[in-house]
Amino acid sequence: MQDDFFELGGNSLQAVAIVQAINREFSARLPIQLIFNAPTIEKLAAAIGDSKPSSSRAILLAGTEQEVAAIFCWPGLGGYPMNLRALAETVVGTGRFYGIQSRGLNAGESVSASIETIAVEDIHLIRSLQSHGPYRLWGYSFGARVAYETAWQLEQIGETVSELVLLAPGSPQLPYVEPVSCDQIALFTSPAFLTILLSVFGNYSAPRPPAQPINQSEVEPESPERLG
């Protein structure tokens, strides 16, 4: 009842599957990030009975010290920050390490339309936790793009970014067109892209790419830029 999910070796995919299973079983709408605030069976049971469980996309992965500038880190493909936990515990020292979960993963959330929009929304989020700079911003893979844009926007409004760490950000110049930059109609008729989409968000991977393109209106993706 009181064994910690993460201390037992739980990973991000298992965490997502657990919360999804709870929601199906109890007809609940618990947020994916709940597992961080309630990593034991006892706490999960209490959360199921809570009419307003915490749904903040800023997830405290490590640390508690309030007087030291926090690290805000954006994850890569899929938008879940759970796989940043080991990194957080390794580097946090004093202070706090927050993973910023992508919008659109919790029930009722809409997906942001662009990296610029993501940054605008996430600036409001991180400033609710730390009202003024200097800010420490990190980003992994696709999250590196968001961290960079966020840093730029913060500086445009007069805030100080003392640290910008980009982990595996990829090459800014590629010898081919990036999938997320394609026309949306063309993108959602690509069997390769659809296979990736299903594997990331549906926890499902077909033995071969879908033979027929998926009608974009049926899956209602507002922006493929959230992938990466």
Side-chain angles (χ1 to χ4, degrees), residues 4-6 9-24 30-40 44 59 61 80-85 101 106 203:
D4 187 285
F5 169 78
F6 295 104
N11 58 44
S12 58
L13 289 177
Q14 292 169 336
V16 172
I18 288 172
V19 176
Q20 289 178 338
I22 290 174
N23 285 338
R24 286 194 302 269
L30 299 175
I32 296 296
Q33 63 268 33
L34 171 69
I35 199 83
F36 281 96
N37 298 323
T40 68
L44 281 173
I59 304 170
L61 299 178
Y80 296 109
M82 298 168 186
N83 62 347
L84 299 173
R85 184 181 176 90
Q101 181 171 297
N106 291 326
N203 196 23

Side-chain angles (χ1 to χ4, degrees), residues 94-123:
T94 59
R96 294 154 292 154
F97 190 110
Y98 287 96
I100 307 299
Q101 181 171 297
S102 298
R103 283 197 60 175
L105 299 180
N106 291 326
E109 289 181 348
S110 59
V111 180
S112 302
S114 67
I115 292 177
E116 292 79 9
T117 303
I118 296 170
V120 170
E121 295 165 344
D122 288 352
I123 283 173

Side-chain angles (χ1 to χ4, degrees), residues 46-150:
I48 293 172
D50 188 348
S51 60
K52 294 182 179 180
S54 174
S55 60
S56 173
R57 293 184 297 106
I59 304 170
L60 183 62
L61 299 178
T64 57
E65 177 59 55
Q66 299 286 328
E67 301 303 320
V68 180
I71 295 174
F72 298 97
C73 187
W74 286 262
L77 181 67
Y80 296 109
M82 298 168 186
N83 62 347
L84 299 173
R85 184 181 176 90
L87 172 66
E89 293 175 342
T90 300
V91 305
V92 70
T94 59
R96 294 154 292 154
F97 190 110
Y98 287 96
I100 307 299
Q101 181 171 297
S102 298
R103 283 197 60 175
L105 299 180
N106 291 326
E109 289 181 348
S110 59
V111 180
S112 302
S114 67
I115 292 177
E116 292 79 9
T117 303
I118 296 170
V120 170
E121 295 165 344
D122 288 352
I123 283 173
H124 288 293
L125 179 61
I126 65 178
R127 292 186 85 182
S128 70
L129 297 166
Q130 182 180 321
S131 58
H132 297 288
Y135 289 102
R136 303 170 67 191
L137 309 181
W138 292 33
Y140 168 68
S141 189
F142 174 79
R145 305 182 189 186
V146 183
Y148 187 91
E149 175 66 23
T150 302

Side-chain angles (χ1 to χ4, degrees), residues 77-78 111 142 145 176-206 208-217 219-228:
L77 181 67
V111 180
F142 174 79
R145 305 182 189 186
Y176 52 85
V177 177
E178 292 184 78
V180 294
S181 300
C182 292
D183 176 80
Q184 288 195 21
I185 295 177
L187 187 65
F188 283 89
T189 58
S190 167
F193 178 80
L194 293 178
T195 299
I196 295 172
L197 192 69
L198 289 169
S199 67
V200 172
F201 292 103
N203 196 23
Y204 167 78
S205 182
R208 60 175 59 88
Q212 298 295 327
I214 292 178
N215 187 319
Q216 188 175 353
S217 63
V219 294
E220 299 182 351
E222 295 187 20
S223 171
E225 287 187 349
R226 287 307 265 169
L227 304 178

